[in-house]
Amino acid sequence: MAGTLTRPTEPGSRAGVVLLPGGGPFDRDETSGPNKPLKDLAWGLACRGVTTLRFDKITHTRRDAASVPGFTMSDEYVPHAAAAVRLLQRESTVDSERVFVLGHSMGGKVAPRVAAAEPSVAGLLILAGDTQPMHHAAIRVARHLATVSPALLGQDAVDLFVRQAANVDSPGLSPATPAADLPFGFSASYWLDLRGYDPVATAAALDKPMLILQGGRDYQVTVEDDLSRWQAGLSDRPDVTIHVHAADDHLFFPGTGPSTPADYEKPNHVDRAVVDDIADWLDETR
């Protein structure tokens, strides 16, 4: 996969971070309208002495990948993320024993699985990592959008998500179930993999430090539905730090009032406080 290495100008060997975007066919910058949140993180962290590596997802370079029979979330992320970790460990500006994985949204959900597959990962940074089953979250988000942006999403779309989510929950779900009958057109294998994956339990089994960040204005991944599960499952871990940035939305853009999809179409940047939060935690985690 093609990617971008962003290095600080100062000499020295410091932490390195592999950046993973959220669900969907994202490029290396996680481009959303005019915004590039992973590029913001890469440049901001470089200013704090951190080298990062980000790459285009396979679903960006091959748009039909998620509907291919047998394709899973692991196929979408894990082999490429593990290879990126090993590549970053060889960089002169990086301490090979301090390479971390930072995942946003679904990238945060899958980050524990990456660390389980690549034991050399030093720790995890999970930004708005979803823990509620994704097909259930899709219904919640669809209902929210039908309320705040009815011109964008109507009741017919909500009803479709409900029917498709029921197919994911069905004991009859099998690799032969048509992708057209399932949310987002993902293959049945993709949903079977997601249905059997518990990101919190996977994270709890790892002996690695973690920073978990959440935006207080996020309607896609929420404090109530998602962060609460991280808190409950990792409450006994002194090496897990959890912070809520109350003014931030799903992309960690600061703002006021209820967040809507229209916000993502306005030029913005990741909250500097989030960049500092990450860099400070990396400095403290040795």
Side-chain angles (χ1 to χ4, degrees):
M1 308 308 296
T4 299
L5 183 72
T6 305
R7 293 180 291 198
T9 55
E10 317 87 55
S13 180
R14 302 180 179 86
V17 179
V18 171
L19 306 179
L20 305 180
F26 279 114
D27 63 10
R28 68 195 73 182
D29 296 331
E30 200 177 39
T31 300
S32 300
N35 300 298
K36 298 179 180 293
L38 290 194
K39 184 177 182 180
D40 286 350
L41 286 175
W43 284 33
L45 290 173
C47 291
R48 291 290 305 270
V50 178
T51 298
T52 61
L53 179 58
R54 62 194 193 276
F55 55 89
D56 298 333
K57 290 176 65 177
I58 190 171
T59 44
H60 176 77
T61 57
R62 183 181 172 183
R63 292 302 179 107
D64 65 339
S67 62
V68 172
F71 187 79
T72 68
M73 182 180 68
S74 284
D75 297 326
E76 187 175 16
Y77 284 96
V78 175
H80 313 110
V85 168
R86 294 190 292 270
L87 180 63
L88 200 50
Q89 287 169 341
R90 300 200 295 269
E91 281 299 310
S92 61
T93 56
V94 174
D95 179 344
S96 63
E97 296 184 356
R98 300 189 64 234
V99 173
F100 297 78
V101 171
L102 182 157
H104 173 243
S105 197
M106 181 181 277
K109 175 197 283 284
V110 77
R113 182 174 273 182
V114 173
E118 179 50 62
S120 67
V121 171
L124 300 178
L125 302 104
I126 298 171
L127 276 62
D130 51 309
T131 59
Q132 184 181 31
M134 194 167 78
H135 54 300
H136 296 167
I139 296 172
R140 171 176 55 76
V141 172
R143 286 173 172 159
H144 172 78
L145 293 179
T147 300
V148 301
S149 301
L152 179 67
L153 196 75
Q155 187 59 44
D156 288 348
V158 175
D159 293 343
L160 177 61
F161 274 119
V162 170
R163 292 194 300 271
Q164 291 174 331
N167 291 334
V168 175
D169 281 328
S170 170
L173 179 67
S174 77
T177 303
D181 294 341
L182 301 169
F184 310 119
F186 292 172
S187 70
S189 297
Y190 198 100
W191 285 108
L192 285 165
D193 180 42
L194 269 177
R195 198 173 71 173
Y197 174 58
D198 183 339
V200 177
T202 304
L206 298 171
D207 184 21
K208 299 181 187 295
M210 298 174 221
L211 174 66
I212 300 174
L213 302 183
Q214 174 68 42
R217 296 173 54 248
D218 189 345
Y219 68 84
Q220 294 174 249
V221 176
T222 70
V223 171
E224 179 181 2
D225 298 294
D226 298 282
L227 185 66
S228 60
R229 290 176 167 89
W230 292 116
Q231 292 169 322
L234 301 170
S235 61
D236 62 340
R237 291 282 298 275
D239 58 347
V240 174
T241 301
I242 299 177
H243 292 161
V244 176
H245 289 262
D248 294 349
D249 63 15
H250 186 60
L251 298 182
F252 288 90
F253 294 166
T256 58
S259 174
T260 70
D263 294 337
Y264 304 155
E265 298 302 319
K266 303 171 186 175
N268 208 333
H269 292 285
V270 170
D271 192 343
R272 180 173 177 173
V274 170
V275 176
D276 288 339
D277 203 357
I278 293 168
D280 290 345
W281 183 82
L282 289 169
D283 285 342
E284 296 163 3
T285 305
R286 298 183 182 276

